[in-house]
C-alpha cells in the first residue's frame, strides 16, 4: 500500500531579514559618507573666501592632496575636520606618513590673520613637508 508522502515546500529567499540588513547598511553609509563639492574637494566645516587674482592663471589640482584650511577667525581644518592648533603638527605628520605621495594644499581666508598663517607654515616645515611642493588655493578672475 502506498502512502501519500508530504513534500517539503521550498522556503525561497527570506526577504524580511534582507530588508533589515539593507536598511542597516543604508543608515551606516549615510552616516559615514563625506560629501564632496562639485569641484571634487571634501566638504569642510570652515567657510573660506580665498583671495582672488586677475592676472595669474592656473589649473585646479587633480592629484591626491591634504587640504589645510585657515578661516578668518583663525580656526584650522585638515581635510574638512577642525583641528586644534596644538595638535596640528602631530595630525599633519600622521597624514603625511599615511599618504606620502599626497601634496599639501593650503586654503587661507583672505581675512585670516597673517601671523596665524605663518605659524601654520612653520608647523608644515616641522612636520616634514617639502615647502616647495605646497599648493595655495587662489580664486581666479578674468582680467579686464
Amino acid at each position: 500500500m502506498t502512502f501519500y508522502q508530504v513534500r517539503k515546500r521550498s522556503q525561497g529567499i527570506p526577504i524580511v531579514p534582507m530588508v533589515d540588513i539593507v536598511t542597516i547598511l543604508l543608515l551606516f553609509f549615510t552616516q559615514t559618507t563625506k560629501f564632496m563639492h562639485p569641484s571634487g574637494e571634501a566638504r569642510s566645516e570652515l567657510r573660506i573666501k580665498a583671495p582672488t587674482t586677475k592676472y595669474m592663471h592656473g589649473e585646479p589640482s587633480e592629484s591626491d592632496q591634504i587640504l589645510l584650511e585657515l578661516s578668518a577667525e583663525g580656526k584650522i581644518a585638515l581635510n574638512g575636520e577642525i583641528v586644534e592648533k596644538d595638535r596640528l603638527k602631530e595630525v599633519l605628520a600622521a597624514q603625511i606618513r599615511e599618504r606620502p605621495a599626497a601634496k599639501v594644499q593650503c586654503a587661507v581666508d583672505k581675512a585670516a590673520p597673517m601671523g596665524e598663517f605663518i605659524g601654520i607654515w612653520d608647523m608644515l616645515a616641522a612636520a616634514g613637508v617639502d615647502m616647495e611642493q605646497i599648493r595655495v588655493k587662489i580664486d581666479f578672475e578674468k582680467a579686464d
Side-chain angles (χ1 to χ4, degrees), residues 53-67:
T53 180
K54 290 183 181 181
Y55 302 104
M56 290 180 11
H57 302 287
E59 298 291 325
S61 63
E62 300 287 329
S63 65
D64 185 23
Q65 61 188 2
I66 298 171
L67 181 61

Side-chain angles (χ1 to χ4, degrees), residues 37-107:
H37 284 285
S39 65
E41 296 176 357
R43 182 174 284 176
S44 175
E45 294 182 28
L46 300 180
R47 300 292 172 239
I48 302 292
K49 292 181 182 174
T52 58
T53 180
K54 290 183 181 181
Y55 302 104
M56 290 180 11
H57 302 287
E59 298 291 325
S61 63
E62 300 287 329
S63 65
D64 185 23
Q65 61 188 2
I66 298 171
L67 181 61
L68 179 66
E69 299 170 295
L70 176 63
S71 72
E73 298 83 30
K75 291 185 179 178
I76 302 168
L78 189 63
N79 290 332
E81 296 179 16
I82 294 180
V83 177
E84 296 299 322
K85 186 176 180 178
D86 56 343
R87 292 194 60 238
L88 179 62
K89 182 180 170 184
E90 66 187 53
V91 173
L92 187 60
Q95 286 279 327
I96 292 170
R97 278 193 304 273
E98 288 176 18
R99 299 164 43 200
K103 306 286 185 197
V104 176
Q105 179 177 352
C106 292

